Amino acid sequence: MTQQIHGTVADGFEAVREEFAAFVAGELPDYEGQLCAYVHGRKVVDLWAGDGNDAESLYGVFSSTKGAAHLVVALLVQDGTLELDRRVTYYWPEFGTEGKAALTLRDLVTHRAGLIGLDAGFSKDELADDRAIAERLADQRPFWRPGTAFGYHALVIGALTGEVVRRATGHTLQEIYEERVRAPYGLDFFLGLPEALEPRFRSVQPMAPTAKQQAVLDAAPRGPHTLASIASNTHVPDAGDLVGHANSRTVRAKGPASAGGVAAARGLAGMYAAAISEVAGRPPLLKPDTVAEVGQVHSVGYDLVARGHRAFGLGFQATGEAWYLFLGAGAFGHAGAGGSQAFADPRSGLAYGYTRRRIAFPGGAAPENERLVKAVHTAALAS
């Protein structure tokens, strides 16, 4: 049975609805997902599909959480509270052990610290607690010489930068995000989901690969002590998994800033719209110089953890580099392992958010994002 597509699109964005419907028609019958976009601060796409899902349903968005974390860092840099080229030890003296004393905040934020995890690994409880992660990493020897290369700090980057934020301001990253970003705009994007909103959460469903897809996964096993295993904390017994992490009430309540956020597509897109555009009479959160700084490519080339080509801006993924065929230079955002994607493209004024309930093959930003982003961007340029 064909899934019904709910929601609205602005005039000129009808092709986006058609593309979303065409994609959904090819998915499993239990597909749930949401798509939202703004152009120059105006909501132009607000669509969803799936039984039991609506525009206010909330999903675990995994590493899309990092976008909120690094927006806080960008705001504090803009304020002058944080200085990117100061050493991390200026804010956090205990960090300077094991060859890390010279590392700057800029290098830390751009995945150049070599501090991707612990030799001994983290417990599931520790992964829900940014303070616990930071305390343990302060004594860890880096896995490469800091500043000489980069690799994705998948489960810890929010805790590391969050500790710098806490030392500099006396407040947690989550508290600043709530006060300066989420609450003023009423965003459905939470770093710490209140108990009262739990009924809106839709539990993450595991990947359902086809036989061919499973063969691909089986053909690429990960050694137990590789950088990728350490970064994903799979080198320790009972490490848990992505599904269990997102479906943990403890994780949702604490909102760890690397991968513990909960959002609707409206919240993801709304945050990036507020970052670059006037929304509801409020000026953009980021000034033009800050937008240029966060979108500028800082780390590009061979990612030692992902074992392939990656590009990062100032904490954000360099989305414009990833989708260089159509997005503008300087676009910035972050994808999540379940398939979510969110970004801002300052040159077109586009802010985009996508969520889905079931983890997509092969992990990371779901492949449908490419066709959906292209459809939205094409309509945005024509509007």
Side-chain angles (χ1 to χ4, degrees):
M1 189 173 84
T2 303
Q3 284 259 30
Q4 185 176 354
I5 305 301
H6 304 274
T8 60
V9 296
D11 291 345
F13 287 80
E14 294 84 0
V16 177
R17 186 186 187 101
E18 293 170 6
E19 190 66 38
F20 184 59
F23 151 68
V24 171
E27 284 290 287
L28 294 173
D30 65 355
Y31 170 83
E32 291 185 27
Q34 305 163 326
L35 174 64
C36 184
Y38 287 72
V39 175
H40 298 301
R42 178 175 71 102
K43 189 189 297 180
V44 293
V45 175
D46 188 20
L47 300 172
W48 63 93
D51 293 338
N53 172 34
D54 60 33
E56 295 187 347
S57 295
L58 299 171
Y59 295 90
V61 293
F62 298 98
S63 288
S64 290
T65 309
K66 294 179 176 71
H70 289 117
L71 178 55
V72 170
V73 172
L75 287 170
L76 294 175
V77 169
Q78 181 172 269
D79 294 345
T81 303
L82 296 177
E83 295 182 31
L84 290 168
D85 296 313
R86 279 197 182 275
R87 292 184 176 186
V88 174
T89 53
Y90 174 82
Y91 305 101
W92 181 7
E94 300 91 332
F95 182 82
T97 65
E98 299 289 350
K100 304 192 296 293
L103 190 80
T104 66
L105 178 58
R106 188 185 300 273
D107 277 339
L108 179 69
V109 173
T110 55
H111 297 271
R112 305 184 71 84
L115 207 59
I116 55 173
L118 289 176
D119 286 317
F122 297 102
S123 69
K124 286 186 280 190
D125 287 343
E126 286 172 330
L127 286 179
D129 187 339
D130 280 349
R131 290 288 304 280
I133 292 172
E135 183 177 347
R136 295 200 63 193
L137 284 173
D139 296 327
Q140 172 67 43
R141 182 180 182 87
F143 289 88
W144 60 83
R145 187 176 178 85
T148 63
F150 77 100
Y152 186 41
H153 290 51
L155 295 176
V156 302
I157 191 67
L160 291 168
T161 54
E163 186 64 13
V164 173
V165 167
R166 189 183 71 84
R167 298 294 184 109
T169 67
H171 299 282
T172 67
L173 186 153
Q174 288 85 349
E175 288 169 342
I176 296 171
Y177 170 74
E178 177 68 19
E179 179 182 346
R180 297 188 61 176
V181 182
R182 199 212 66 78
Y185 292 90
L187 298 174
D188 279 341
F189 185 3
F190 299 89
L191 271 63
L193 182 67
E195 179 75 36
L197 299 184
E198 274 291 312
R200 291 171 55 187
F201 177 72
R202 304 287 290 171
S203 59
V204 172
Q205 295 175 328
M207 187 186 300
T210 64
K212 186 175 182 179
Q213 290 169 342
Q214 187 62 54
V216 172
L217 296 173
D218 293 341
R222 178 183 292 168
H225 302 295
T226 63
L227 291 180
S229 295
I230 293 166
S232 59
N233 203 52
T234 56
H235 65 305
V236 294
D238 193 29
D241 58 17
L242 286 173
V243 174
H245 184 76
N247 287 341
S248 163
R249 171 57 194 160
T250 300
V251 169
R252 294 196 298 278
K254 292 186 174 182
S258 295
V262 174
R266 284 178 176 178
L268 294 174
M271 186 192 78
Y272 283 99
I276 65 168
S277 304
E278 179 180 315
V279 176
R282 294 176 177 270
L285 288 168
L286 300 181
K287 297 175 182 177
D289 284 352
T290 311
V291 170
E293 179 92 65
V294 300
Q296 185 179 51
V297 174
H298 283 66
S299 295
V300 63
Y302 187 75
D303 182 313
L304 292 176
V305 173
R307 315 303 293 182
H309 182 85
R310 299 286 288 274
F312 289 93
L314 197 64
F316 298 92
Q317 291 174 331
T319 314
E321 198 277 341
W323 286 327
Y324 64 91
L325 291 177
F326 43 91
L327 287 188
F332 61 94
H334 221 291
S340 61
Q341 174 69 72
F343 65 83
D345 180 9
R347 294 177 186 273
S348 65
L350 173 62
Y352 174 96
Y354 175 73
T355 61
R356 57 176 288 151
R357 187 177 187 189
R358 184 178 296 282
I359 293 178
F361 173 86
E368 64 264 21
N369 277 289
E370 182 165 359
R371 61 195 285 191
L372 297 175
V373 170
K374 185 175 183 180
V376 175
H377 187 257
T378 299
L381 292 182
S383 64

